[in-house]
């Protein structure tokens, strides 16, 4: 389903580029570096390390509106199986941080624009710069893996295609690898809750003071009570 990737030396952000230049089903944009890499909830994404993956894909969602958040979980699963396929053991922190050795190795951000899903994926393959202040982050290289970026991208695109078109049992498969479930979490740095399950629409169901509530990925930040996960 993917069109030939557009490859850029340096652009502000692959998500922004896709939105502004090639918002078609199947578009893929890959940048060697980004000047304004964006993360979820207004955060920035470290993007000046050459050799890391900075990629965005666009696709028309094949799900009803209320289930579209599942696609973001699906891309998380695709990164998970890709990295595991290259030997890196990892898990998923809801909604879709990929965690290896207790630290974040990949971030995913999805936006819906004119009915098209734009999903940006940042994967740290190379060592993080010293003093970058990202104590919660890691990379393939830091874990002792020297991966060929093009091989990872090729496998990742195959896995994304599979995952976004096979969402029937996604909750079960996602939950199997989700590190958040069963944990005490802090919602927006304040409310302590216990993560119970993933709802059929991809929300995180938590026990908050004895009450079951579902939190949506756009609305909250989730942190472990004792650390990032
Ligand atoms: C997050 O964890 O907050 C999501 C980070 C997403 C980063 C990727 S890198 C490629 C794409 N372009 C961007 O500007 N952001 C995403």
């Amino acid at each position: 389903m993917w069109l030939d990737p557009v490859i850029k030396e340096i652009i502000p952000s692959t998500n922004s580029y896709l939105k502004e230049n090639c918002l078609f089903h199947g578009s893929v944009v890959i940048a060697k570096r980004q000047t304004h890499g964006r993360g979820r909830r207004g955060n920035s994404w470290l993007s000046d390390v050459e050799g890391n993956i900075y990629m965005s894909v666009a696709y028309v969602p094949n799900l009803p509106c209320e289930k579209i958040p599942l696609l973001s979980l699906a891309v998380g699963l695709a990164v998970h199986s890709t990295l595991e396929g290259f030997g890196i053991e990892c898990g998923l922190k809801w909604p879709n941080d990929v965690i290896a050795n207790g630290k974040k190795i990949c971030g995913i951000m999805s936006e819906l624009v004119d009915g098209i899903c734009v999903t940006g994926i940042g994967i740290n393959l190379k060592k993080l710069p010293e003093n970058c202040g990202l104590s919660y982050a890691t990379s393939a290289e830091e874990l002792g893996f020297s991966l060929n970026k093009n091989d990872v991208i090729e496998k990742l695109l195959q896995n994304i295609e599979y995952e976004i078109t096979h969402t029937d049992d996604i909750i079960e498969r996602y939950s199997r690898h989700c590190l958040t479930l069963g944990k005490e979490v802090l919602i927006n740095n304040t409310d302590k809750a216990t993560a119970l399950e993933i709802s059929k629409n991809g929300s995180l169901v938590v026990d908050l003071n004895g009450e079951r509530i579902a939190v949506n990925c756009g609305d909250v930040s989730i942190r472990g009570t004792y650390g990032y996960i």
Side-chain angles (χ1 to χ4, degrees), residues 33-215:
R33 285 180 295 143
Q34 302 181 118
T35 53
H36 291 83
R38 296 187 288 116
R40 289 178 57 239
R41 302 172 54 74
N43 293 324
S44 56
W45 183 258
L46 176 79
S47 296
D48 52 2
V49 178
E50 196 154 338
N52 285 348
I53 295 178
Y54 311 109
M55 176 173 91
S56 298
V57 296
Y59 50 95
V60 176
N62 59 348
L63 290 174
C65 267
E66 69 280 8
K67 288 198 180 283
I68 286 178
L70 290 179
L71 294 171
S72 203
L73 304 189
V75 176
L77 263 180
V79 175
H80 174 271
S81 53
T82 303
L83 292 181
E84 290 241 321
F86 284 95
I88 302 182
E89 256 181 63
C90 43
L92 294 157
K93 173 178 175 285
W94 183 88
N96 49 19
D97 286 353
V98 184
I99 305 293
N101 198 28
K103 294 188 172 187
K104 179 163 170 169
I105 189 167
C106 164
I108 296 167
M109 177 179 74
S110 289
E111 305 174 272
L112 193 62
V113 190
D114 298 338
I116 298 192
C117 247
V118 174
T119 300
I121 302 142
I123 306 182
N124 300 329
L125 296 182
K126 299 292 180 194
K127 278 214 167 70
L128 297 161
E130 268 172 43
N131 306 320
C132 66
L134 301 174
S135 56
Y136 59 83
T138 190
S139 69
E141 212 169 75
E142 281 182 8
L143 298 169
F145 293 85
S146 164
L147 305 185
N148 178 291
K149 180 168 131 178
N150 291 336
D151 292 349
V152 177
I153 289 174
E154 190 184 334
K155 196 66 203 159
L156 179 58
L157 286 171
Q158 287 169 13
N159 288 340
I160 295 174
E161 177 170 0
Y162 176 85
E163 292 294 351
I164 62 175
T165 51
H166 292 79
T167 49
D168 283 358
D169 60 347
I170 185 160
I171 303 297
E172 188 207 314
R173 290 188 303 113
Y174 178 90
S175 301
R176 232 182 280 151
H177 302 294
C178 181
L179 304 170
T180 311
L181 297 180
K183 291 243 162 67
E184 269 210 341
V185 293
L186 275 181
I187 303 177
N188 291 337
N189 283 324
T190 47
D191 298 319
K192 208 187 263 187
T194 307
L196 299 176
E197 61 184 18
I198 307 296
S199 81
K200 62 182 188 318
N201 294 341
S203 306
L204 181 68
V205 180
V206 299
D207 178 321
L208 180 64
N209 305 323
E211 215 183 312
R212 276 171 76 89
I213 60 161
V215 293

